[in-house]
Amino acid sequence: MSESEMCTPTSVHVKCKLIFPSEDNKRVDLEQLHERIPVSSSLRNEGICKVKFYPSPTAVVNVTTTGRITCMGVLFDTARARIRNVARFIQKTQIPDLRLGELKITNWNATKDLGFKVNIIKLAYSGEGAFYEPEIDLACVRFTDTRNNCTVNVFSSGKMTITAALEESIDPVAQKFARMAELARVGSSHPHLRKTPSPRNAD
């Protein structure tokens, strides 16, 4: 990835709360929602109905019995539309006086192709804050950027994913870790890389 290639969000994580009309009716019937909503859905053991909207990009809307709703996999305008679709369906089939609370973006997500393969072992040894767990994923190094409140995953294929609390953090963090990954580019040689892992690195 060159310095001129700006990295922009590819999806967001949005949350909101359904506002129930009375204290006596503060529950969403997830089984009914799952059975009747005219799109793909599934019930999960932890009391969540997962609703999927196709085609790509796939929006996933999670609804709890207490009326908490989240949406992920798409940008804000699409997320807002899908959450409203689900809320209106619940309003129409279960709770007529239901209202939708304020929508809030909790995370911004971006995916970037670095354009080269990455030596994951070298990256794990060279990057401050690197966290490498080969027993979980041999092909990925994870970073936590506390200053920018971001998490970054770099894969051996050259794919990089970023999750940030603020949209404006996405591009500078992408550029920072792209430069770090360049030092671990497959076939490159950088003798100044650290020879010992940081405390969080795997052995």
Side-chain angles (χ1 to χ4, degrees):
M1 183 178 70
S2 69
E3 294 288 336
S4 62
E5 293 177 331
M6 179 168 286
C7 185
T8 57
T10 51
S11 68
V12 294
H13 188 280
V14 179
K15 70 175 183 179
C16 68
K17 185 79 167 63
L18 295 176
I19 301 174
F20 295 93
S22 69
E23 291 295 322
D24 297 331
N25 188 10
K26 296 186 67 174
R27 183 180 180 279
V28 178
D29 187 333
L30 298 184
E31 289 191 8
Q32 184 190 83
L33 175 63
H34 168 57
E35 291 173 357
R36 298 184 62 180
I37 195 165
V39 293
S40 176
S41 67
S42 61
L43 287 175
R44 298 170 61 181
N45 293 333
E46 55 267 37
I48 297 174
C49 182
K50 177 179 286 189
V51 182
K52 290 186 177 182
F53 290 87
Y54 299 98
S56 181
T58 302
V60 179
V61 179
N62 293 319
V63 185
T64 70
T65 55
T66 58
R68 296 187 182 279
I69 298 182
T70 61
C71 182
M72 62 192 75
V74 290
L75 291 172
F76 181 75
D77 287 346
T78 303
R80 177 174 56 191
R82 295 314 187 193
I83 288 174
R84 286 178 174 173
N85 289 154
V86 174
R88 286 177 185 144
F89 187 82
I90 296 171
Q91 184 185 56
K92 180 179 179 181
T93 59
Q94 297 187 32
I95 311 169
D97 296 327
L98 187 73
R99 292 186 296 119
L100 186 62
E102 180 184 2
L103 278 69
K104 297 180 180 180
I105 298 176
T106 58
N107 285 313
W108 299 80
N109 307 302
T111 301
K112 194 68 181 178
D113 183 3
L114 296 171
F116 54 83
K117 294 186 181 299
V118 179
N119 184 324
I120 291 300
I121 301 297
K122 185 183 288 187
L123 182 61
Y125 274 68
S126 65
E128 182 179 353
F131 192 40
Y132 180 49
E133 296 180 293
E135 67 278 9
I136 295 177
D137 192 342
L138 277 169
C140 176
V141 176
R142 296 171 174 82
F143 296 89
T144 300
D145 187 329
T146 54
R147 180 178 180 182
N148 293 291
N149 198 12
C150 299
T151 58
V152 179
N153 294 333
V154 180
F155 298 86
S156 60
S157 63
K159 176 183 176 182
M160 179 169 63
T161 63
I162 302 164
T163 299
L166 299 174
E167 181 182 12
E168 54 265 32
S169 299
I170 292 286
D171 186 57
V173 167
Q175 299 294 347
K176 170 185 174 180
F177 284 93
R179 289 191 294 270
M180 188 181 295
E182 176 72 33
L183 299 178
R185 183 172 185 160
V186 171
S188 65
S189 177
H190 295 273
H192 60 281
L193 293 177
R194 291 208 310 264
K195 299 302 182 181
T196 56
S198 62
R200 297 182 64 194
N201 289 343
D203 293 334

